Amino acid sequence: MTSTYPAAATPDSPPATLAPDNRSPALMLTVLLTGTFMASLDVSIVNVAVPRIGDELDASEAALQFVVSGYTVAYAALLITGARLGDDRGHRRMFTTGLAVFTATSLVCGVVPGVELLVVARVLQGAAAAMMAPQVLTIVQRRLPSERQPMAFALYASVISGAVVAGQVLGGVLVDADLFGWSWRTVFLVNVPIGVAVLSVVPRCVPETDELTRRRLDITGVGLLAATVAAIIVPLVVGRETGFSWGLWVLLAAAVPLGALFARHVSVRQAVTGDALIDLALLRRPAVALGFGSVVAQMAAYGGMLFAITLHLQRGLGFSPIRSGLSLVTFAVAFAISSLAVPRLSAAARRAAPVAGLVVTAAGFLVAAWLAREGHWNMATTGLAFAVVGGGFGCGYSPVVSRTVATVPRARAADASGMFTTLNQLAFAIGVAAVGSVYLAARSGPTAGDSGSAMAVTFVVAAALMLVAAGAAATQRAD
């Protein structure tokens, strides 16, 4: 398809007519969501392989932390920049470029001889994921009819949630299988054939966007945003494992003035030139601010719960990584089913789904707290509780995302996509640090009972966050 390059649209200008395109929307979504799955999978799959990496590369604990956090920091810090580059250079082009670099760096991760190069490759892999991931929501909003977007957003949410759980299971399977004697390297090398296959079909399945802004990249904004996000993520990720030294507290505190400088810079630049990295005016829309607030509370609860339950199952109860991952399958399946079911409901039911779903999620967490309190783990009863949690979460998360994005003008789709994906990562990391710390602080000893009582407290905190998210969603609906 030949792309045209009109002059930059004003933020609230009506959408231009898209050129006809005969590509299958289903194939387009499959390709885009495969890239999303790969990017989300690599957030969690490496955790399972870390002990083996440390043994075989003789790596220090600090180096292993950077193997994990290097990807997360680069990914979160550059998501908004990736979204802006898609608006300026073409969303399919940036998705393809990001996927190609992601695939190449995955290969490098799988063959490196030492941990230093592995850390560098992981940072580059995270940067590549940040180029690829934010294009998905933008392409969906710009290329799919509005009536098909809720189902696309539900699939998107299911893929993200499923990938995090699948990463733990798949990582355990690959490391234990030791295919071809490659040990931990297979958790990276598995991306290579998938990436090559997807790259071969992108031009035939994904159309290029017709409206490119061709704005100058706000380099100062990129630097300030990356510094702000890194100042938040690095202490939360590294401090959780190594302890919060005074240097990490100083870095975390620096996020406040850095964030203020970033907000001031983009506000002034947007007013003067109209080409700031991101237009913060979006957050003045109540529906957008409340929607993002609900998503942040949900992801903080989810991230903290996932971190704590992994520790509880593997260290408290002695489960293997594979069994630990399989214990969360009912959550992931119920999340996917409910996410995909909500768009098929009546209009009245769809309006009620987010609040009802998040309240049900909170109730499911409270049931899980009661079941976990003494350190027992019955696969049937706990699996049922996790199915309730996952089903309610799917009813809450996907519709809130869909409703929020629907309020954003198409000309600002990249801004919304970049903000949403960045907030997702930040909220997840904050949840791991804050809610995960609740579990660690409440665990008074090494026994299963000690771990179970701490897990019960963690579930109660997660339930409270879900009720906060429900309140924001209810207010958004009323607004």
Side-chain angles (χ1 to χ4, degrees), residues 131-351:
M131 278 194 288
M132 172 176 61
Q135 315 311 328
V136 176
L137 285 178
T138 307
I139 292 173
V140 165
Q141 189 181 3
R142 292 193 173 191
R143 299 303 314 192
L144 288 185
S146 57
E147 65 273 11
R148 301 190 67 167
Q149 290 181 20
M151 181 60 73
F153 293 136
L155 285 167
Y156 176 83
S158 298
V159 164
I160 290 177
S161 175
V164 175
V165 175
Q168 299 191 82
V169 179
L170 182 60
V173 169
L174 290 174
V175 172
D176 287 347
D178 194 19
L179 297 174
F180 310 110
W182 291 346
S183 183
W184 57 269
R185 299 179 186 273
T186 52
V187 303
F188 298 111
L189 295 175
V190 70
N191 290 325
V192 177
I194 300 173
V196 170
V198 173
L199 283 169
S200 69
V201 299
V202 168
R204 297 194 296 274
C205 298
V206 181
E208 184 57 278
T209 43
D210 296 309
E211 308 153 41
L212 301 184
T213 59
R214 296 293 187 185
R215 297 172 294 182
R216 291 180 301 166
L217 184 61
D218 180 6
I219 299 296
T220 302
V222 170
L224 286 172
L225 178 62
T228 302
V229 173
I232 297 171
I233 293 286
V234 170
L236 294 180
V237 173
V238 177
R240 170 172 53 86
E241 294 290 337
T242 62
F244 277 90
S245 65
W246 68 267
L248 290 179
W249 283 114
V250 170
L251 184 58
L252 187 59
V256 176
L258 285 170
L261 282 174
F262 171 73
R264 173 67 177 169
H265 167 77
V266 295
S267 297
V268 172
R269 179 157 178 149
Q270 186 66 24
V272 174
T273 67
D275 65 352
L277 179 65
I278 194 167
D279 186 0
L280 293 179
L282 269 181
L283 296 178
R284 290 198 289 270
R285 294 171 177 258
V288 174
L290 289 166
F292 283 166
S294 180
V295 166
V296 166
Q298 292 177 58
M299 289 305 294
Y302 176 51
M305 180 277 294
L306 198 63
F307 167 71
I309 197 66
T310 301
L311 287 181
H312 173 57
L313 294 176
Q314 294 189 30
R315 295 183 181 175
L317 303 184
F319 285 15
S320 68
I322 296 175
R323 187 181 177 189
S324 173
L326 290 175
S327 298
L328 299 173
V329 165
T330 56
F331 169 89
V333 171
F335 182 96
I337 291 173
S338 62
S339 292
L340 300 177
V342 168
R344 303 179 185 277
L345 300 175
S346 66
R350 287 199 305 272
R351 287 192 295 270

Side-chain angles (χ1 to χ4, degrees), residues 420-439:
F420 170 77
T421 47
T422 300
L423 286 172
N424 248 7
Q425 289 299 309
L426 282 174
F428 192 92
I430 290 169
V432 168
V435 181
S437 294
V438 170
Y439 167 80

Side-chain angles (χ1 to χ4, degrees), residues 354-366 385 387-389 391-393 395 466-467:
V355 177
L358 293 170
V359 171
V360 168
T361 304
F365 274 134
L366 293 177
V388 172
V389 170
F393 191 18
C395 287
M466 287 298 178
L467 291 177

Side-chain angles (χ1 to χ4, degrees), residues 393-413:
F393 191 18
C395 287
Y397 181 81
S398 302
V400 168
V401 173
S402 178
R403 179 189 297 165
T404 302
V405 173
T407 67
V408 177
R410 284 183 60 251
R412 293 183 177 180

